[in-house]
Amino acid sequence: MTLNIGILGAGNISARYMQGLQKYAELKVGYIADIDHARAASLAAEFAVPRSGSADALLADGSIDVVINLTPPNLHARTVIQALEAGKSVYVEKPLATTREDGLLMLKAERANPGILGSAPDTFLGSAGQTARHAIDSGYIGTPIGASAFVRSSRAETWHPSPGFLFEQGGGPVMDMGPYYIAALVNCLGPIRRVSADARIGSETRIVTAPDRAVDEIPVTVNTHASAVFSFASGAIGTILMSFDVWDTTLPRIEIYGTEGTLSLNDPNTFDGDVRLKRREHSEWQVLEPVTPLFGAVGTPEQHRRGLGVNDLAGALAGGPHRASSGFAFHVLDAMLAIDEAAAAQQTIILESWTERPAPLFNS
């Protein structure tokens, strides 16, 4: 089934979507919209997209089936709801929203309209996330007991020309990078029941050193260092550190510990990479064979392309399982918001949301 795609937001990540969508012949980008019409036209010209212009024109275009929403996080709720009410299906960048209230309004709009809503991150659908999932489902590490995850500094002020949004509400390491790590853990271990945490601001001002910077410094109004414990419904316990203040470390990205062994996962902000297993009886780590094809060449810019989640949404529209669904994304959002809440209240937060583990992509 061919789907006509409209992209809302021609900012920093839009070219990565355009590159990734080229993998799928049935996903045709027909319109690019941005508040800056010249920027939309420039992206359209670069990728031979026939039309560009305003968001209103995009939503009024009856030929567009799916809107990829790349607006800033604080605009997600309003723009997603508008697109759903216009009869479109929507795939929105992470995080789903910046508040539970907005997230719930988005889920309500999805139920009330014909389209469906999907959300990044989709990296757990890559070969690494699926290989780890297969290893757990196959009993390679026995019963999962615990996990650790470490979000290192993104160093955004050294490469992003205007990184202020990362240091205000809707940003920070939890909301910016946390979705990749939490989605990977929920894919492997299932839903989270309880969250306890502590958090703080590292430095109240950040100096921007990006070569093409638009500002020289930015204020910090969101926690930039957080440590949390996730209690999964399965009984597994996860220890998660998320920070924009850890500049150098030798800690692993994600490890999952079971009664019979350990899994070590690559950066969950990428689709592919080594998944390593060491069972009790092993003297050395072994690299597991990927159970699904690679999305892109490991260690290259291809890992920064996007589009696998949009293809997942297309499959759901055709009657297949929806893995990067709104419900899954809302549960990830719920857990992220609970980190700051648990830290502020010095209490454990019980999550009210629930999600099933997404259906695997491999044949079990």
Side-chain angles (χ1 to χ4, degrees):
M1 177 175 67
T2 298
L3 290 177
N4 292 318
I5 308 291
I7 291 183
L8 179 58
N12 202 43
I13 201 172
S14 57
R16 299 181 186 183
Y17 272 88
M18 292 302 306
Q19 292 159 1
L21 291 171
Q22 290 175 345
K23 291 174 62 72
Y24 305 107
E26 66 278 12
L27 301 180
K28 302 289 188 182
V29 179
Y31 201 106
I32 297 175
D34 194 276
I35 192 170
D36 183 338
H37 294 184
R39 184 165 66 175
S42 176
L43 184 68
E46 180 181 355
F47 289 97
V49 175
R51 289 166 294 150
S52 67
S54 70
D56 287 344
L58 168 60
L59 297 184
D61 190 330
S63 71
I64 297 299
D65 304 303
V66 175
V67 171
I68 299 176
N69 189 326
L70 307 182
T71 61
N74 61 346
L75 299 179
H76 283 180
R78 177 172 61 83
T79 52
V80 164
I81 291 170
Q82 287 174 340
L84 289 169
E85 290 178 343
K88 316 297 185 187
S89 290
V90 184
Y91 183 84
V92 63
E93 248 304 318
K94 57 83 189 167
L96 177 71
T98 58
T99 68
R100 282 191 193 84
E101 292 74 18
D102 279 351
L104 289 171
L105 287 173
M106 295 160 77
L107 299 186
K108 181 179 179 181
E110 180 185 21
R111 292 192 297 269
N113 291 285
I116 63 174
L117 174 60
S119 177
D122 58 354
T123 45
F124 73 92
L125 298 173
S127 70
Q130 294 300 305
T131 300
R133 170 69 177 271
H134 179 264
I136 292 169
D137 290 356
S138 299
Y140 292 177
I141 63 168
T143 301
I145 299 298
S148 57
F150 302 98
V151 177
R152 299 95 172 274
S153 175
S154 69
R155 305 192 185 198
E157 59 266 52
T158 68
W159 58 266
H160 198 293
S162 185
F165 69 99
L166 292 171
F167 297 90
E168 59 189 23
Q169 184 183 11
V174 174
M175 296 294 279
D176 179 50
M177 297 300 295
Y180 301 108
Y181 288 73
I182 298 173
L185 290 172
V186 174
N187 173 57
C188 286
L189 299 174
I192 300 161
R193 268 301 187 203
R194 301 189 306 276
V195 176
S196 57
D198 208 348
R200 59 163 290 177
I201 292 174
S203 300
E204 294 185 354
T205 302
R206 291 282 178 138
I207 305 302
V208 181
T209 59
D212 55 346
R213 60 188 175 276
V215 293
D216 291 322
E217 63 178 45
I218 48 177
V220 179
T221 58
V222 68
N223 287 324
T224 55
H225 187 90
S227 185
V229 174
F230 288 171
S231 299
F232 292 84
S234 66
I237 301 169
T239 304
I240 293 86
L241 186 150
M242 303 183 185
S243 183
F244 282 171
D245 298 297
V246 177
W247 288 83
D248 294 289
T249 178
T250 57
L251 293 171
R253 300 284 187 169
I254 296 179
E255 289 184 342
I256 299 175
Y257 315 111
T259 54
E260 302 299 326
T262 297
L263 279 176
S264 179
L265 282 64
N266 200 10
D267 182 358
N269 190 18
T270 60
F271 293 91
D272 309 294
D274 288 349
V275 175
R276 298 186 303 145
L277 168 69
K278 190 174 183 182
R279 286 176 54 86
R280 282 193 197 185
E281 66 271 20
H282 292 162
S283 59
E284 303 289 340
W285 290 88
Q286 67 179 92
V287 177
L288 298 179
E289 192 71 25
V291 298
T292 61
L294 302 189
F295 184 69
V298 177
T300 75
E302 290 183 0
Q303 287 297 310
H304 300 300
R305 300 182 303 189
R306 293 294 184 260
L308 193 50
V310 182
N311 189 57
D312 174 66
L313 184 144
L317 287 170
H322 196 187
R323 300 173 179 89
S325 67
S326 59
F328 180 84
F330 183 80
H331 185 68
V332 171
L333 173 67
D334 195 15
M336 292 190 297
L337 293 172
I339 292 174
D340 271 349
E341 293 167 352
Q346 297 185 339
Q347 294 179 347
T348 296
I349 304 296
I350 308 297
L351 299 190
E352 295 186 3
S353 67
W354 181 266
T355 187
E356 299 295 333
R357 295 168 81 204
L361 280 166
F362 54 85
N363 294 319
S364 56

